[in-house]
Amino acid sequence: QVQLVESGGGLVQTGGSLRLSCAASGSISSIVTMGWYRQAPGVQRELVAKITNGGGTTYADSVKGRFTISRENVKNTLYLQMSSLKPEDTAVYYCNAQQVVPPSIKINNYWGQGTQVTVSS
């Protein structure tokens, strides 16, 4: 089991910055990928950014150059640094972790509770 606790959401002005944090606990050593997703009402949840065990990162085109994903403490904490925020970034942001359960190929997905990010226009 993996537990994810998010923090850092809030109301910011257009052009402002915000950093989201996700604290992971439980079977941390089994996590292979962590990422951030976001969702607004009536809109499909979308990947914002993800990072692998090796440090490889992937970003949605809409956030490239503005958002940075990082991690530390052996996957204990995940961050999303958001800069140059736009009203279009307004959404509930969710932390995600993918867990491999040895010796099978089963992969579990875990989600945080979500944190609201609102960018005022």
Side-chain angles (χ1 to χ4, degrees):
Q1 297 289 325
V2 174
Q3 296 80 44
L4 305 172
V5 180
E6 299 157 312
S7 62
L11 174 65
V12 299
Q13 71 285 353
T14 297
S17 299
L18 198 65
R19 188 175 78 160
L20 306 182
S21 299
C22 174
S25 61
S27 301
I28 299 172
S29 62
S30 65
I31 297 174
V32 294
T33 304
M34 298 189 71
W36 291 96
Y37 292 72
R38 66 186 182 187
Q39 185 175 27
V43 180
Q44 185 176 355
R45 185 176 298 185
E46 65 174 349
L47 172 70
V48 177
K50 63 180 179 181
I51 185 168
T52 67
N53 285 354
T57 57
T58 301
Y59 294 92
D61 288 340
S62 60
V63 307
K64 286 182 179 177
R66 300 188 298 117
F67 291 9
T68 301
I69 188 170
S70 62
R71 66 181 183 183
E72 62 180 357
N73 299 329
V74 196
K75 306 183 183 69
N76 281 25
T77 306
L78 181 73
Y79 301 98
L80 183 67
Q81 178 65 52
M82 304 184 292
S83 300
S84 302
L85 284 163
K86 308 173 181 179
E88 305 91 272
D89 296 317
T90 297
V92 177
Y93 284 70
Y94 296 91
C95 180
N96 167 262
Q98 287 195 323
Q99 174 198 55
V100 173
V101 184
S104 71
I105 60 173
K106 181 181 179 181
I107 299 178
N108 294 326
N109 272 290
Y110 296 91
W111 298 92
Q113 77 284 357
T115 184
Q116 177 71 48
V117 172
T118 302
V119 184
S120 61
S121 61

